[in-house]
Amino acid sequence: MAESNTNSQMTSSRLEAFSDGVIAVIITIMVLELHVPREDGWAGLWSVAPRLSVYLLSFLMVGIYWINHHELIRRTESIDYLVLWSNLIFLFVLSLVPFFVDYLDEKDFSSFSTLLYDLTMLVAGLSFFLLRWAVMRRQWYAGSLSRRDTSELWKHGISLAIYLVAIAMTFYRPWLSLAIVALVTVVWVVPGAAVKKSAKEPRPENAPIE
């Protein structure tokens, strides 16, 4: 049993380190896909403004996922194969973001390319929900699942609803669709609405991030 617990804890730290590395590579790839415009001055900068805008949106989304992923994994000391596979699925979907950012730019932000981008964000949201459910399952087994953990589920529901609205808007106004997707960053900009609130109540076994 002692050996099993050691392996679980070691796997947890490896999971977080591996995830940090993958997310860092994803952001790096997006940066490398930015190119200097041929034309100088404001006109040249304006010509790449759409690409910079979708890069900013994607950077914020990936960065916010990283923050929430870090805060989520810290809540459990026990990692099983369901958590590992859920994490891999989440990282796989997130790794597609640079491709669809480039696809969106190459196709001049067409309705179809915007649809693919929005679908990627939707699936990323679903995969992160799957990861959260897997972690909450481990917390429940360990007896450490709290109201703080379950209170954050509303964010997933709102995010998925926003993505569905954005998808419905792609064939009407692609740019409006991307603006709707940006609303999700507002929902997730804080890792947990209950984190600061629960900080007043000491929980030595599951202390929040300061």
Side-chain angles (χ1 to χ4, degrees), residues 71 74-75 132 139 145-153 192 194-195 198-199 203 206-209:
E71 209 277 331
R74 283 171 60 93
R75 297 181 184 183
R132 181 179 293 275
Q139 288 179 283
L145 185 64
S146 65
R147 180 180 299 179
R148 161 187 133 176
D149 303 303
T150 57
S151 65
E152 293 175 350
L153 294 177
V195 171
S198 63
R203 292 180 56 86
N206 195 12
I209 298 178

Side-chain angles (χ1 to χ4, degrees), residues 72-126:
L72 177 65
I73 298 301
R74 283 171 60 93
R75 297 181 184 183
T76 179
E77 296 179 358
S78 178
I79 299 296
D80 59 7
Y81 281 104
L82 182 59
V83 175
L84 290 175
W85 280 106
S86 299
N87 190 71
L88 276 178
I89 293 172
F90 168 67
L91 292 177
F92 169 73
V93 177
L94 213 60
S95 69
L96 296 176
V97 172
F99 171 78
F100 285 108
V101 168
D102 195 45
Y103 189 93
L104 191 62
D105 184 54
E106 289 291 330
K107 303 304 178 183
D108 295 324
F109 296 83
S110 65
S111 295
F112 182 71
S113 62
T114 305
L115 174 64
L116 293 179
Y117 181 84
D118 290 354
L119 284 173
T120 303
M121 291 300 177
L122 174 64
V123 178
L126 287 170

Side-chain angles (χ1 to χ4, degrees), residues 157-170:
I158 292 179
S159 299
L160 297 178
I162 292 175
Y163 286 137
L164 291 175
V165 172
I167 289 172
M169 193 62 63
T170 53

Side-chain angles (χ1 to χ4, degrees), residues 7-115:
N7 290 337
S8 296
Q9 292 174 1
M10 194 168 71
T11 302
S12 176
S13 62
R14 290 182 62 189
L15 175 98
E16 192 168 5
F18 174 74
S19 301
D20 288 349
V22 172
I23 293 175
V25 170
I26 291 171
I27 292 178
T28 302
I29 292 174
M30 288 196 298
V31 172
L32 294 177
E33 289 298 324
L34 295 176
H35 302 293
V36 177
R38 294 181 179 179
E39 190 175 356
D40 195 12
W42 290 108
L45 188 61
W46 181 255
S47 67
V48 296
R51 177 57 183 259
L52 289 175
S53 299
V54 75
Y55 164 73
L56 174 62
L57 172 60
S58 302
F59 180 89
L60 287 174
M61 295 298 294
V62 173
I64 289 171
Y65 271 129
W66 173 70
I67 294 172
N68 283 274
H69 179 278
H70 175 72
E71 209 277 331
L72 177 65
I73 298 301
R74 283 171 60 93
R75 297 181 184 183
T76 179
E77 296 179 358
S78 178
I79 299 296
D80 59 7
Y81 281 104
L82 182 59
V83 175
L84 290 175
W85 280 106
S86 299
N87 190 71
L88 276 178
I89 293 172
F90 168 67
L91 292 177
F92 169 73
V93 177
L94 213 60
S95 69
L96 296 176
V97 172
F99 171 78
F100 285 108
V101 168
D102 195 45
Y103 189 93
L104 191 62
D105 184 54
E106 289 291 330
K107 303 304 178 183
D108 295 324
F109 296 83
S110 65
S111 295
F112 182 71
S113 62
T114 305
L115 174 64

Side-chain angles (χ1 to χ4, degrees), residues 140-198:
W140 183 78
Y141 283 139
S144 61
L145 185 64
S146 65
R147 180 180 299 179
R148 161 187 133 176
D149 303 303
T150 57
S151 65
E152 293 175 350
L153 294 177
W154 66 270
K155 290 187 176 185
H156 292 278
I158 292 179
S159 299
L160 297 178
I162 292 175
Y163 286 137
L164 291 175
V165 172
I167 289 172
M169 193 62 63
T170 53
F171 292 99
Y172 178 66
R173 289 287 188 274
W175 273 106
L176 181 57
S177 174
L178 293 174
I180 294 173
V181 168
L183 292 177
V184 178
T185 62
V186 178
V187 177
W188 286 102
V189 70
V190 179
V195 171
K196 293 182 179 180
K197 186 181 298 184
S198 63

